[in-house]
Amino acid sequence: MSTASAANVQVKLPDGTLVEHPSDATSLDVARAISEGLARNVIAAEISGTMVDASRPLGELATDDQPIELKLLTSRDEAALSVLRHSAAHVMARAVMRLYEGVSLAFGPVTEGGFYYDFELDEKISEEDFPKIEAEIKKIIKDKEPFERFIVERAEARKLCDDLDQDLKVEHIDTGLADQATVSFYRQGEFIDLCRGPHIPDAGKIKAIKLMSVAGSHWKADTAGRQLQRLYGTAFFDKKELKAYLAQIEEAKRRDHRVLGKQHGLFAINPEVGQGLCLWLPKGARVRVALEDFLRKELLSRGYDPVYSPHIGRVEMYETSGHFPYYRDSQFAPLFGSEVGAMLDAWSQKLEQGTIDRDGEEKLIEAAKVFGVELPKYKLSGAAEDKRNVLHEWQMVHERYLLKPMNCPHHCQIFKAQQRSYRQLPLRLFEFGTVYRHEQTGELNGMLRVRGLTQDDAHIFCTADQVEHEFRATIELTQFVLRSVGLDDYSVQLSLRDPNGDKYVGSEQNWNQAEGALRGVLEQSGLTYHEEEGEAAFYGPKADFMVRDCIGRSWQLGTVQLDYNLPERFKLEYNGRDNQAHRPVMIHRAPFGSLERFTGMLIEHFAGAFPLWLSPEQIRVLPLSDKSLDYAVAVAKQLDEAGLKVTVDSSGGKVQAKIRNAQLELVNYMAVVGPKEAETGMVALRDRIDGDLGSMPTAEAVARLKQEIQSRQVRQVVQTSFAAAAVDSDAIGNEY
RNA sequence: GCUGCUGUAGCUCAGUGGUAGAGCACUUCCUUGGUAAGGAAGAGGUCAUGGGUUCAAGUCCCAUCAGCAGCUCCA
């Protein structure tokens, strides 16, 4: 082994072998020295854990005298797919610029399923334009031109973007990249883009690419900012993978809970009832009841106490909790006991916003008098704050209510309703609490995002040193619940505060303590978890369960949140062993999240075919003909008495048709009964999945089903072979 | 809320400025059967709503409402 001379670099390959190359050699050259085939397959390189272009001279990348640790990435490496897709985004942008005038490029990162590029251009791109854009993309790919990287000083970069008429890039250099001395660009033929990289060696590596959709977006995600057009696409190393991906999208569409919910009579949303307000149809309601009964029983056995609270509460309570001012825009407007209450509220808001003049105030004072509201203390020349305080006194008289947007304040009041001793803690209060939130119209989505929802909510009030144990117990509860419905692929997102954010309440010390407690338990639990800064609730950090369903999609379901804030605001106290008043810690938790969202997710996960224990129709009795109808009804009665969800198909058709209907309606079991069964007291049991099981005594069929229910068996869940690519957007992209 | 697309029977969808259609489902009748579709007849529409253009509008234009996709948001 010789020491590398100044003109050479030493390269250490993953298997530990050391090779020496000239310092201007690239990763591709290293590959070529191993084999031509490898060189053809190299997509990018990983040097000491950082992804770089395979065409970067290794000399640039050596940081010290140590050998360069090089890993050549080929299409077999997951990370390479992101590089490919980002390059595909460049190719797509290049095609768009060839076809359209005046295109301003924004950003073009990779996503979980592919990539997109945001453009500003006057002409509207529609799906009808896709074939011509794709044709242009194919031309670019066929030319196999290389991606070339070059570095320039910031001022020069600005001029380059300006010369290219890329004003969004210019702006980004001025703002987002103000602290960068130099920036990198990538050139591919005539196409030059400010970009961090890395990229594939040449466009020919893209073997399968498809434009997916076009949608609106905003420059730097600011809704008030410039409107852009976002073109989505996806790319793969071979056509088979693309085909599998498209099949997965089709599968997801087939499972859409809105379609299945309608088809199977599970739920309905009707504009006359109201946007985002879910009607649970009888079959959907049965699923919900099964979930509720299951969880209620579980919670009771785990030391929870059931409580109930009303659907409305006084605004003052939500002012105390801090929710009202903070979330005013996403709550339904307050309800007023009287007209004058509404007037005072509008008045107070105008004062707050400064949108009222003296003349307006005088008129309102006169109007208030008509309603018997005298305001001698209201000084027209006074400060808005003082005026609002005067109005507030009357607002206490003319009550304002809010449709309950969350259950926490009510549960705090339940805590306060009685004297509390440390001996009673932890106090675990649970309720299926229905809350209402005025979500933006564009956010509404079937059962997944609604305006009226029922949380499987509970609040645990405990001492500081019980927090860890209680948090661990709720994590375990959530795991148990997920396992019960057959969801076992999940991880936890630990949502922390944004260190620079200002939306949070509570002391620095409490936050650190809370975040530390959550992290500690997760560390010990062995669960896979990752931390997200800036995702915390305004009152405390939270741990959210991110669940992957059977076709690889991620859902945010159960949540556990720590709260040192509400106990403070509501001045909650318990009497400690030392006979002093102490402040409890509060844990919010909901293993389902909401019944709506959880059920919607389950519909998609099971493609409407619920496991027996959750099924709205567990068994259907099919008489061979009307002659067997009486026996069928008798069997159904027997099954019903055994606690099974049973129906009888009394329609006039042939049994084949009845079976077909039951199969299509996803009934778990069918009991076919004819003269033979009537004579012997049997049923011919048919399983939706395994088909005819033959005749057996009715009691045997009951026992079989009850066993399956009791064990909460989950059968036949489609498993996808397709795994969504892991995205490391920090590593790749032109967003810097 | 923003941008774009869509709105015809309970459902899925045809309908090219000139009298509103199909399949499934539904109702009635016939059929009485053995593990994924028996037959016949019938009923069902203010073509999302409101304006406009036209001799004539489901069809073209505008507005509103709702849905969908994406953006933004999610206590």
Side-chain angles (χ1 to χ4, degrees):
Chain A
M1 205 198 305
S2 65
T3 316
S5 67
N8 281 352
V9 287
Q10 275 207 323
V11 176
K12 189 177 174 192
L13 297 171
D15 65 358
T17 23
L18 283 169
V19 287
E20 195 167 318
H21 284 269
S23 64
D24 60 349
T26 67
S27 303
L28 277 171
D29 295 326
V30 176
R32 202 165 289 123
I34 297 168
S35 86
E36 271 301 322
L38 179 61
R40 270 198 305 277
N41 287 323
V42 165
I43 300 300
E46 203 179 288
I47 289 178
S48 308
T50 308
M51 273 209 281
V52 296
D53 303 304
S55 55
R56 287 279 290 278
L58 294 170
E60 292 179 7
L61 299 159
T63 45
D64 46 36
D65 293 338
Q66 297 298 308
I68 294 170
E69 288 194 24
L70 173 70
K71 190 183 170 199
L72 296 165
L73 299 176
T74 67
S75 59
R76 286 191 211 146
D77 296 285
E78 211 175 295
L81 187 57
S82 293
V83 178
L84 177 88
R85 286 174 172 175
H86 181 54
S87 299
H90 275 228
V91 169
M92 178 176 78
R94 187 178 175 191
V96 167
M97 290 187 86
R98 282 185 183 177
L99 296 167
Y100 296 87
E101 291 290 318
V103 177
S104 280
L105 299 170
F107 296 125
V110 291
T111 63
E112 200 165 313
F115 59 87
Y116 66 78
Y117 215 116
D118 281 346
F119 313 99
E120 186 179 60
L121 79 162
D122 295 336
E123 205 175 326
K124 292 277 173 236
I125 297 178
S126 80
E127 291 197 13
E128 281 146 40
D129 303 320
F130 286 4
K132 83 175 176 211
I133 300 172
E134 283 177 340
E136 198 61 42
I137 288 172
K138 292 217 168 85
K139 269 192 229 165
I140 295 169
I141 292 174
K142 211 175 155 200
D143 291 342
K144 296 188 180 176
E145 283 173 295
F147 283 83
E148 299 165 63
R149 181 175 195 270
F150 61 95
I151 305 270
V152 294
E153 306 259 315
R154 221 167 65 81
E156 203 185 321
R158 192 185 188 284
K159 184 173 180 304
L160 175 59
C161 290
D162 201 37
D163 292 345
L164 293 165
D165 283 328
Q166 292 301 324
D167 58 324
L168 293 172
K169 299 280 183 186
V170 171
E171 192 204 306
H172 186 54
I173 291 172
D174 287 344
T175 55
L177 302 180
D179 55 342
Q180 305 275 326
T182 61
V183 292
S184 60
F185 281 80
Y186 280 80
R187 177 206 302 276
Q188 206 232 347
E190 83 281 3
F191 181 79
I192 298 171
D193 193 8
L194 170 71
C195 178
R196 205 173 34 170
H199 280 281
I200 55 179
D202 72 83
K205 299 282 187 264
I206 306 169
K207 301 296 184 195
I209 182 166
K210 186 171 165 55
L211 298 188
M212 301 300 291
S213 61
V214 59
S217 68
H218 298 93
W219 173 236
K220 296 199 169 175
D222 174 10
T223 35
R226 290 156 80 171
Q227 180 77 39
L228 307 173
Q229 296 190 64
R230 176 170 297 180
L231 207 46
Y232 283 88
T234 192
F236 289 91
F237 287 110
D238 76 70
K239 293 198 168 63
K240 253 195 233 160
E241 288 168 33
L242 173 63
K243 223 174 136 186
Y245 175 70
L246 296 177
Q248 192 221 358
I249 291 176
E250 281 310 305
E251 179 64 22
K253 269 192 205 155
R254 196 179 72 73
R255 289 163 173 266
D256 189 319
H257 76 287
R258 294 164 299 189
V259 175
L260 293 173
K262 189 181 271 189
Q263 194 180 330
H264 295 296
L266 298 167
F267 75 99
I269 291 175
N270 176 334
E272 260 189 85
V273 176
Q275 279 184 292
L277 299 175
C278 191
L279 297 170
W280 292 75
L281 304 182
K283 284 176 105 177
R286 282 198 192 101
V287 176
R288 173 168 166 172
V289 166
L291 287 169
E292 286 181 357
D293 286 352
F294 158 68
L295 187 62
R296 184 180 292 111
K297 195 171 155 235
E298 198 55 40
L299 291 178
L300 290 173
S301 79
R302 289 177 188 240
Y304 283 76
D305 291 312
V307 294
Y308 293 96
S309 60
H311 284 226
I312 61 172
R314 287 190 65 164
V315 166
E316 285 72 19
M317 178 168 64
Y318 302 106
E319 283 175 340
T320 301
S321 72
H323 290 104
F324 180 68
Y326 192 78
Y327 287 108
R328 175 143 202 178
D329 291 345
S330 50
Q331 286 157 4
F332 280 93
L335 308 162
F336 297 100
S338 67
E339 302 290 323
V340 66
M343 187 182 82
L344 291 167
D345 186 65
W347 187 348
S348 175
Q349 263 191 280
K350 279 179 185 291
L351 284 168
E352 189 183 6
Q353 295 157 358
T355 53
I356 187 166
D357 58 13
R358 197 184 178 100
D359 185 43
E361 284 181 74
E362 281 170 356
K363 282 177 182 158
L364 282 169
I365 290 169
E366 283 308 306
K369 274 186 193 154
V370 177
F371 289 102
V373 173
E374 297 285 348
L375 298 159
K377 285 192 260 172
Y378 193 102
K379 300 283 177 263
L380 279 167
S381 54
E385 190 56 34
D386 296 334
K387 295 175 186 174
R388 292 185 67 212
N389 285 336
V390 174
L391 296 181
H392 197 257
E393 283 173 28
W394 279 100
Q395 287 186 292
M396 294 296 282
V397 177
H398 295 277
E399 297 169 339
R400 299 173 293 162
Y401 290 92
L402 222 52
L403 267 172
K404 181 163 74 176
M406 79 292 300
N407 303 300
C408 345
H410 290 83
H411 290 187
C412 285
Q413 298 291 2
I414 290 172
F415 181 91
K416 270 180 101 167
Q418 291 169 291
Q419 187 184 337
R420 302 294 177 184
S421 149
Y422 74 97
R423 292 173 187 277
Q424 295 173 312
L425 304 185
L427 182 68
R428 310 181 188 90
L429 306 177
F430 92 84
E431 173 178 14
F432 290 109
T434 303
V435 298
Y436 296 89
R437 296 172 183 181
H438 194 264
E439 304 287 1
Q440 299 179 55
T441 51
E443 314 310 334
L444 300 174
N445 177 300
M447 295 183 108
L448 300 179
R449 196 74 187 272
V450 288
R451 285 183 170 167
L453 56 134
T454 301
Q455 300 175 311
D456 55 326
D457 211 359
H459 296 93
I460 299 169
F461 301 88
C462 61
T463 67
D465 43 356
Q466 287 168 338
V467 165
E468 199 177 308
H469 176 266
E470 290 304 310
F471 178 62
R472 183 174 301 117
T474 58
I475 292 281
E476 280 166 12
L477 168 70
T478 308
Q479 290 181 277
F480 172 76
V481 166
L482 293 176
R483 199 162 54 237
S484 297
V485 293
L487 296 167
D488 43 24
D489 187 1
Y490 52 82
S491 65
V492 173
Q493 176 179 310
L494 177 56
S495 302
L496 308 172
R497 72 194 187 287
D498 176 354
N500 305 314
D502 55 1
K503 71 167 187 171
Y504 307 100
V505 295
S507 73
E508 180 82 16
Q509 189 204 339
N510 278 350
W511 272 92
N512 290 337
Q513 195 182 340
E515 292 182 351
L518 295 198
R519 189 181 289 116
V521 171
L522 288 174
E523 237 2 283
Q524 290 166 21
S525 71
L527 280 162
T528 48
Y529 78 98
H530 70 280
E531 302 187 0
E532 288 285 343
E533 283 191 346
E535 292 292 310
F538 76 95
Y539 51 70
K542 52 181 186 170
D544 293 321
F545 278 75
M546 312 300 288
V547 182
R548 205 173 269 278
D549 71 10
C550 62
I551 59 169
R553 293 169 303 179
S554 263
W555 303 74
Q556 192 209 304
L557 297 175
T559 177
V560 184
Q561 311 178 357
L562 237 56
D563 188 349
Y564 290 85
N565 175 54
L566 281 186
E568 198 74 39
R569 286 180 159 259
F570 281 102
K571 306 216 179 329
L572 304 184
E573 288 177 348
Y574 65 89
N575 206 5
R577 193 190 290 272
D578 57 3
N579 199 26
Q580 299 289 309
H582 294 270
R583 191 129 290 161
V585 181
M586 197 171 165
I587 298 173
H588 309 240
R589 35 102 294 161
F592 292 152
S594 81
L595 269 317
E596 284 76 9
R597 190 176 162 76
F598 197 76
T599 305
M601 186 269 173
L602 288 183
I603 293 171
E604 304 212 354
H605 177 64
F606 293 123
F610 289 98
L612 193 64
W613 80 274
L614 286 172
S615 175
E617 189 177 352
Q618 294 167 326
I619 183 164
R620 183 180 292 182
V621 186
L622 312 180
L624 203 59
S625 76
D626 288 351
K627 288 174 186 164
S628 306
L629 188 55
D630 285 346
Y631 179 64
V633 170
V635 167
K637 185 161 179 280
Q638 217 177 324
L639 298 171
D640 181 60
E641 280 166 1
L644 295 169
K645 290 167 197 152
V646 59
T647 56
V648 178
D649 184 345
S650 55
S651 67
K654 291 210 283 193
V655 74
Q656 286 89 334
K658 293 177 189 176
I659 288 170
R660 180 169 192 272
N661 288 335
Q663 289 281 150
L664 291 175
E665 287 167 38
L666 305 172
V667 180
N668 302 64
Y669 285 95
M670 287 143 266
V672 177
V673 295
K676 275 190 280 185
E677 285 75 19
E679 257 173 54
T680 52
M682 311 251 267
V683 294
L685 197 63
R686 182 189 162 91
D687 177 27
R688 185 180 62 76
I689 299 161
D690 294 335
D692 191 3
L693 300 175
S695 284
M696 61 186 78
T698 309
E700 192 184 321
V702 168
R704 185 185 178 113
L705 267 65
K706 292 208 84 162
Q707 207 284 323
E708 189 175 331
I709 290 167
Q710 215 148 36
S711 60
R712 287 191 281 270
Q713 209 178 330
V714 177
R715 305 164 63 199
Q716 201 195 39
V717 170
V718 177
Q719 284 301 335
T720 181
S721 55
F722 192 91
V727 180
D728 188 357
S729 55
D730 290 341
I732 303 157
N734 53 8
E735 204 167 331
Y736 272 89

